[in-house]
Amino acid sequence: MLAERSRHSPRQTFPFKTGLWESNVTSSISGIQIPPDVQAHLAQMPPEQQEKIRSMMGGAPQTSVMRSCMTKEQFDKWNDSFHENKDKDEQCTHTNVITDVHERTFDINCTSPTAKSAGRIQMFIDSDEKGHGSVHMVRTASEGPQAMKPITVDVKFDTHYIGSDCGSIKPGDAEPVR
């Protein structure tokens, strides 16, 4: 089910150049409850390894820089993915949708037999060589060790065009920048 209010048609052509793009992504997760058996296992690890695992499970923001090769087909596939339900057990609705040549913004609410999620996705196309955006999602499970304890995911990203030559990176693939 898709409820949509749009400034323009949902299938909008965005200005962008094909080729190599670099994205800086900072994400944070909060609210994850570490089960007692996992806590016991963590306690047996060296302190540095414990901290690394705990930070991956939530808390401090994590930043990554990736390079990807974007073709028109890859971009269209990505653009179309916002209107697809990948999980057949999950029903999602999009509301407050704004789609034009410079912006794609919407609220999303999803319900499955075991959880509910709600959030806001914002993407801005600054030019054919630059974009940025954010994602804020809250997911609450209805069963299991995380039941009724919301997990919050926040992501901020910016991306910019590097050049037309993708080098060794194949379309649809991404590699970390070291």
Side-chain angles (χ1 to χ4, degrees), residues 13 32 37-38 44 46 54 60 99 118-119 129 148 161:
T13 302
I32 293 179
D37 59 323
V38 175
Q44 297 173 4
R54 281 195 173 94
T99 302
E129 294 188 356
M148 307 315 294
Y161 180 73

Side-chain angles (χ1 to χ4, degrees), residues 9 32 116 121 131 160 173:
S9 69
I32 293 179
K116 290 186 178 189
I121 298 173
H160 63 275
D173 287 349

Side-chain angles (χ1 to χ4, degrees), residues 13-35:
T13 302
F14 294 98
F16 84 102
K17 290 186 176 181
T18 58
L20 187 62
W21 284 75
E22 184 173 287
S23 299
N24 297 289
V25 180
T26 301
S27 60
S28 63
I29 301 172
S30 62
I32 293 179
Q33 305 294 311
I34 302 173

Side-chain angles (χ1 to χ4, degrees), residues 58-106:
Q62 303 289 315
T63 300
S64 62
V65 180
M66 302 292 287
R67 285 194 171 174
S68 58
C69 185
M70 190 64 86
T71 63
K72 180 176 181 344
E73 293 77 23
Q74 288 300 127
F75 187 85
D76 287 346
K77 184 177 176 182
W78 168 81
N79 189 31
D80 291 344
S81 72
F82 292 103
H83 295 286
E84 298 172 359
N85 261 357
K86 292 180 179 68
D87 183 346
K88 62 184 173 188
D89 292 333
E90 188 171 60
Q91 297 296 313
C92 296
T93 59
H94 297 172
T95 57
N96 301 316
V97 176
I98 299 171
T99 302
D100 65 27
V101 297
H102 298 290
E103 180 179 1
R104 168 160 306 232
T105 301
F106 56 92

